[in-house]
Amino acid sequence: MPSINRVHAFHEEMTAWRRHLHAFPETAFEEHETSAFIAGLLRSFGLDVHQGLAGTGVVATLEGSRPGPSIGLRADMDALNIAEQNGVPHSSRRPGKMHACGHDGHVAMLLGAAKYLSETRNFGGTVRFIFQPAEENEGGGQRMVEDGLFQQFPVDAVYGLHNWPGQTFGTVALTAGPLMAAFDVFELRIVGRGGHGALPHETIDPVIVAGEMIGALQTIASRSVHPVDSAVVSVTQIHGGESWNVIPSEVVLKGTTRSFKAGVQDRIEARMREIARGICDAHGATSTLRYERRCPPTVSSAAETEFSARAAVKLAGASRVIRDPMPSMASEDFACMLRERPGSYVWLGTGGGPSLHNPAYDFNDEILPIGASYWALLVETTQP
């Protein structure tokens, strides 16, 4: 699989960076050591480095050898609260935390590109290397935007990349429009009247109400959303009761919804409220729904997608660029940056092995020079 020769020459360095980060994972907004490690390397490459956006974010700036546009390249750097089940020498040394999504690899690839570009500077304009905290659930991308990312470090466009297990090794998948879904969360609190488990007729049992609610919420995707639109409603937590023989006074359901269109998002939330109210009214219970829109869909703009495709074809050849991938209902808070600036997001195929967020997952180090070369070619390619 091709990569830029100079980038390939420090494959071992990138691997060492990646495995160090893997051994010392840090979760959302706690990436202090990770941030310091990244900043130190960037400074050693001669880049101008800023730390502190969103607490632990890092932004480095590199000027090219001639005038041109300014673009942002983003890598996420946080780990997950998952206990690793790998026996590799670089396995996590922090119990209950691991890089189960490959953000360690994303950092290493962007660092590799920064090293190469700092040596060659064979491009026009300015590159911002953006290392983002808290991609997993906690909205680090939005925090960086709110903290003034694009005001302090202006860009004409911004680009993102994610490793993608199960996709053929070294292939690049991209599309104009939505590639990943909006991420919303909900908490539905059902309040009844508790009592003795042997005297259910004297209670308003919120467990029964919750059971009906779980089934009814599934009709939103199957009966309330147009069949050609995509929607997911998943109840992922049930909390209620503490005793064998006591019917509790309340039960809390929590979960997530996914969609690609704002209208579908609106429809899901409205129907959740209607269903909760109707079922509770039928039983004499009450409910409170807290619905949060955490992350918009990841939507790539047309011109920037074509630009990314040109760089990908230079790297891998046209036959290894997938132009019509099936979108994923997973989410990505790079979407918050794409909401502010045009750009594109790609999946880099890493072949087989455990899926993302699996305790046995480990980033495929063989892809490091390919990902770093993609970033470098993106910068060196004539801008749209």
Side-chain angles (χ1 to χ4, degrees), residues 336-353:
C336 298
M337 297 185 188
L338 288 175
R339 187 164 54 184
E340 301 296 322
R341 295 293 185 274
S344 79
Y345 186 75
V346 307
W347 292 334
L348 180 60
T350 54

Side-chain angles (χ1 to χ4, degrees), residues 131-215:
F131 295 86
Q132 180 209 308
E135 190 278 329
E136 300 287 358
N137 298 316
E138 299 304 325
Q142 182 62 26
R143 274 279 304 276
M144 290 194 88
V145 170
E146 291 171 352
D147 282 2
L149 172 63
F150 297 129
Q151 286 71 46
Q152 294 185 52
F153 306 99
V155 297
D156 299 299
V158 64
Y159 297 87
L161 173 155
H162 207 292
N163 78 100
W164 211 246
Q167 182 178 306
T168 302
F169 181 89
T171 57
V172 178
L174 74 172
T175 187
L179 184 61
M180 301 184 77
F183 166 45
D184 297 345
V185 298
F186 64 86
E187 178 180 290
L188 179 56
R189 187 174 300 274
I190 302 162
V191 179
R193 184 173 65 243
H196 201 295
L199 304 171
H201 60 290
E202 295 180 357
T203 72
I204 297 174
D205 189 345
V207 177
I208 296 296
V209 178
E212 286 189 27
M213 203 83 76
I214 291 168

Side-chain angles (χ1 to χ4, degrees), residues 26-36 38 50-59 73-80 99 103-104 106-107 110 129-147 149 295 332-337:
E26 295 176 299
T27 49
F29 297 121
E30 297 176 350
E31 309 94 336
H32 300 287
E33 292 178 19
T34 302
S35 176
I38 292 168
H50 179 279
Q51 293 177 257
L53 281 181
T56 53
V58 180
V59 182
L73 311 179
R74 173 273 202 173
D76 37 16
M77 59 184 187
D78 57 320
L80 285 154
H99 274 290
H103 297 182
D104 48 348
H106 299 169
V107 169
L110 192 54
F129 299 92
I130 303 167
F131 295 86
Q132 180 209 308
E135 190 278 329
E136 300 287 358
N137 298 316
E138 299 304 325
Q142 182 62 26
R143 274 279 304 276
M144 290 194 88
V145 170
E146 291 171 352
D147 282 2
L149 172 63
C295 180
E332 162 61 84
D333 83 348
F334 179 65
C336 298
M337 297 185 188

Side-chain angles (χ1 to χ4, degrees), residues 203-238:
T203 72
I204 297 174
D205 189 345
V207 177
I208 296 296
V209 178
E212 286 189 27
M213 203 83 76
I214 291 168
L217 290 175
Q218 301 312 304
T219 67
I220 296 174
S222 66
R223 290 296 180 268
S224 297
V225 173
H226 195 289
V228 301
D229 289 327
S230 299
V232 169
V233 179
S234 292
V235 177
T236 58
Q237 299 180 50
I238 305 172

Side-chain angles (χ1 to χ4, degrees), residues 274-330:
E274 292 166 357
I275 288 169
R277 183 166 54 248
I279 292 177
C280 284
D281 285 349
H283 289 273
T286 60
S287 66
T288 303
L289 175 65
R290 179 172 63 85
Y291 191 99
E292 292 184 15
R293 301 192 180 197
R294 288 282 182 94
C295 180
T298 305
V299 180
S300 297
S301 50
E304 286 68 28
T305 299
E306 290 305 311
F307 173 54
S308 294
R310 292 205 304 272
V313 168
K314 283 184 181 180
L315 172 68
S319 65
R320 298 180 70 80
V321 178
I322 303 167
R323 298 301 304 266
D324 58 347
M326 180 178 292
S328 171
M329 298 308 287

